[in-house]
């Protein structure tokens, strides 16, 4: 029998997804729960498993296409695919209806389950989520769009009621709002007109410069070049970075910490730690523990901004930037203030591994209250990171290097690291930022916690 493969909903606020890669091709056998295709959403990239064992009969949505949730993207001939194999060539036009199954030569017991209306009755159920309406605008009509689309509309002063959605049921998609932004906020959504109109966009549209050019296109395409379209993840990163720089006035503070004691503790405990707990011992949990103490002492750094309201978070959820071969993602260690050293290390290793294998869930990259990035892993001496919204600060960790420093009026070789803090000056002042950094520095230099 035919089993529909649908675009899943990867979170309450996610209403569409982009297929980035098919891991199987038509005619391939698939096992239940075997990775079938990869998707990218506003929150996370993920591998989607096959809902049934059988043979991949048809791919309805190609790579690079963005479709609403619950859209049928492929069809699988369920178990017993060998018997069903001859039929696809004879009945492609009938794949759209369940009536096609009884028409085959397959035994009746196998055909009957396919006739049941349950599979076809399912898509309408989640429709209320898919078309979650925005409050009525001036003309009283309901506007169907995602929270992301509404946020972009607010940030760029665009009235969604003036736009004609191209999504299912007239839904205004992200592509529609970006086209409107590029064209200066007008109702025209012609994609081909956007590039030429981008340089003439209204000043307010320049703030969301994800698909816009700061200079005329003729100053970009010259000489020998290769034009590569941004991946979906790279587009998301670009959007978030532009929005963060536009919204938050970034200020930076630099300090350095003597990591000699921490380095000795790690070196002496590393082998036993890995043998005892079967997980790697890295420097990151040392920095998280130090950051947690700093955030406890200076809660303003563990905050978010809502207009003129400062939201002080009681939980400390630390986002850890993880570099991937295809981009960057920030999974979150939630409740970091409640975890012991081992819990932090296991959480870090688990999230990093699943981020690289595309196994993260959307909720695991949400609700961070503070973030840490580690350019030192790649040899960077220091880095000035862009704040991960809606946080108000992000800690940058440079490379840990042995340097000659003055200790008690004598030159000594110590393991040193540069720490940088990027913070939102709407909420965090320089005095608080440096006090926070001083607390982190003292925790690292005077480390006294047993890691075993």
């Amino acid at each position: 029998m035919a089993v529909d493969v649908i675009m899943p909903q990867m979170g309450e606020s996610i209403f569409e997804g982009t297929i980035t890669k098919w891991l199987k091709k038509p005619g391939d056998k698939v096992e239940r729960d075997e990775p079938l295709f990869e998707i990218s959403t506003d929150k996370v990239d993920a591998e989607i498993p096959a809902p049934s064992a059988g043979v991949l009969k048809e791919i309805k949505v190609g790579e690079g296409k963005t479709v609403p949730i619950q859209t049928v993207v492929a069809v699988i001939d369920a178990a017993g695919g060998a018997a069903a194999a001859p039929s696809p060539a004879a009945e492609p036009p009938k794949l759209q209806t369940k009536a096609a199954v009884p028409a085959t030569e397959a035994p009746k017991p196998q055909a009957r389950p396919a006739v049941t209306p349950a599979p076809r009755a399912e898509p309408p159920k989640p429709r209320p989520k898919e078309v979650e309406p925005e409050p009525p605008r001036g003309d009283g009509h309901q506007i169907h769009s995602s929270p992301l689309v509404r946020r972009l509309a607010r940030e760029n002063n665009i009235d969604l009621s003036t736009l004609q959605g191209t999504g299912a049921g007239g839904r205004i998609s992200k592509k529609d709002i970006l086209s409107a932004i590029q064209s200066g906020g007008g109702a025209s959504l012609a994609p081909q007109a956007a590039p030429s109109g981008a340089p003439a966009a209204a000043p307010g549209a320049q703030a969301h410069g994800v698909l816009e050019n700061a200079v005329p296109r003729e100053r970009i395409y010259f000489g020998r070049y290769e034009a590569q379209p941004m991946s979906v993840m790279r587009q998301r990163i670009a959007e978030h970075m532009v929005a963060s720089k536009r919204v938050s006035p970034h200020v930076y503070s630099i300090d350095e910490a003597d990591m000699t004691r921490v380095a000795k503790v790690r070196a002496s405990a590393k082998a036993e730690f890995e043998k005892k707990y079967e997980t790697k011992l890295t420097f990151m949990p040392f920095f998280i523990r130090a950051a947690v103490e700093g955030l406890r002492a200076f809660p303003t750094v563990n905050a978010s901004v809502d207009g003129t309201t400062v939201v002080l978070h009681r939980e400390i959820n630390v986002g850890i930037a993880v570099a991937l071969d295809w981009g960057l993602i920030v999974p979150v260690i939630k409740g970091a203030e409640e975890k012991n050293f081992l819990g932090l290390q296991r959480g870090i290793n688990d999230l990093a591994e699943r981020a690289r294998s595309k196994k993260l869930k959307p909720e695991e990259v949400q609700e961070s209250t503070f973030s840490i990035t580690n350019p030192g892993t790649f040899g960077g001496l220091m880095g000035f990171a862009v704040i991960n919204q809606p946080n108000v600060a992000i800690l940058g960790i440079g490379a840990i290097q042995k340097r000659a420093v003055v200790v008690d009026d004598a030159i000594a070789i110590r393991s040193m690291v540069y720490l940088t803090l990027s913070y939102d000056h709407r909420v965090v002042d320089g005095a608080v930022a440096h006090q926070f950094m001083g607390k982190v520095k003292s925790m690292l230099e005077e480390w006294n916690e047993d890691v075993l």
Side-chain angles (χ1 to χ4, degrees), residues 128-185:
K129 288 184 180 180
E130 177 189 344
V131 293
E132 175 186 325
E134 186 185 66
R137 291 297 175 94
D139 56 4
H141 292 296
Q142 295 292 337
I143 301 172
H144 303 308
S145 62
S146 69
L148 174 65
V149 168
R150 295 196 287 273
R151 176 174 64 80
L152 294 178
R154 287 194 302 270
E155 291 175 353
N156 293 277
N157 299 317
I158 292 179
D159 185 354
L160 290 178
S161 64
T162 65
L163 304 184
Q164 181 64 42
T166 60
R171 183 181 187 81
I172 299 176
S173 67
K174 181 181 170 185
K175 180 179 179 181
D176 296 333
I177 188 66
L178 291 179
S179 295
I181 291 169
Q182 285 181 293
S183 62

Side-chain angles (χ1 to χ4, degrees), residues 16-50:
E16 61 185 14
T18 301
I19 295 181
T20 55
K21 183 179 182 181
W22 280 99
L23 304 176
K24 298 287 185 178
K25 60 182 182 294
D28 285 352
K29 289 184 178 181
V30 296
E31 298 296 331
R32 182 180 176 85
D33 296 328
E34 179 183 9
L36 183 60
F37 62 101
E38 296 178 358
I39 67 169
S40 180
T41 71
D42 290 342
K43 305 296 183 186
V44 69
D45 284 6
E47 291 181 344
I48 305 303

Side-chain angles (χ1 to χ4, degrees), residues 288-313:
I288 294 180
R289 287 288 296 115
V292 164
E293 293 307 311
L295 295 171
R296 279 175 169 161
F298 303 96
T300 306
V301 186
N302 192 54
S304 299
V305 181
D306 180 19
T308 57
T309 301
V310 177
V311 181
L312 299 174
H313 298 288

Side-chain angles (χ1 to χ4, degrees), residues 188-349:
S188 174
L189 297 177
Q192 295 181 350
S196 60
Q206 292 180 356
H208 185 67
V210 179
L211 302 178
E212 296 176 10
N213 297 332
V215 297
R217 298 184 71 193
E218 56 268 22
R219 291 175 58 186
I220 299 174
Y221 295 95
F222 57 85
R224 301 176 62 188
Y225 64 86
E226 177 183 353
Q228 296 182 344
M230 284 186 179
S231 67
V232 175
M233 174 175 274
R234 180 52 55 188
Q235 292 180 43
R236 301 292 188 267
I237 293 172
E239 292 164 9
H240 296 162
M241 296 301 97
V242 170
S244 185
K245 293 293 283 188
R246 181 179 66 83
V247 170
S248 297
H250 282 55
V251 184
Y252 309 96
S253 293
I254 307 172
D255 208 331
E256 66 175 342
D258 186 342
M259 294 288 290
T260 303
R261 179 174 294 189
V262 168
K264 288 180 178 179
V265 169
R266 177 176 178 267
S268 62
K270 184 177 179 181
E272 185 178 351
F273 187 94
E274 295 181 5
K275 180 179 179 181
K276 184 177 181 179
Y277 300 120
E278 298 182 345
T279 190
K280 292 172 57 179
L281 176 59
T282 67
F283 282 105
M284 185 56 73
F286 294 93
F287 289 108
I288 294 180
R289 287 288 296 115
V292 164
E293 293 307 311
L295 295 171
R296 279 175 169 161
F298 303 96
T300 306
V301 186
N302 192 54
S304 299
V305 181
D306 180 19
T308 57
T309 301
V310 177
V311 181
L312 299 174
H313 298 288
R314 295 185 183 275
E315 297 84 9
I316 298 177
N317 300 337
V318 182
I320 308 295
V322 176
L324 308 173
D325 291 339
W326 56 93
L328 180 74
I329 198 166
V330 187
V332 182
I333 302 286
K334 295 187 178 179
E337 79 283 5
E338 298 178 348
K339 297 184 183 297
N340 61 15
F341 190 91
L342 174 60
L344 289 174
Q345 183 66 84
R346 279 186 168 157
I348 294 164
N349 293 346

Side-chain angles (χ1 to χ4, degrees), residues 2 57 87 91-106 111 114-115 120:
K57 189 173 186 179
S87 58
E91 52 173 344
K94 299 179 182 180
L95 288 178
Q96 302 299 324
T97 64
K98 292 297 182 181
V101 178
T104 66
E105 296 298 325
V115 182
R120 287 298 176 184

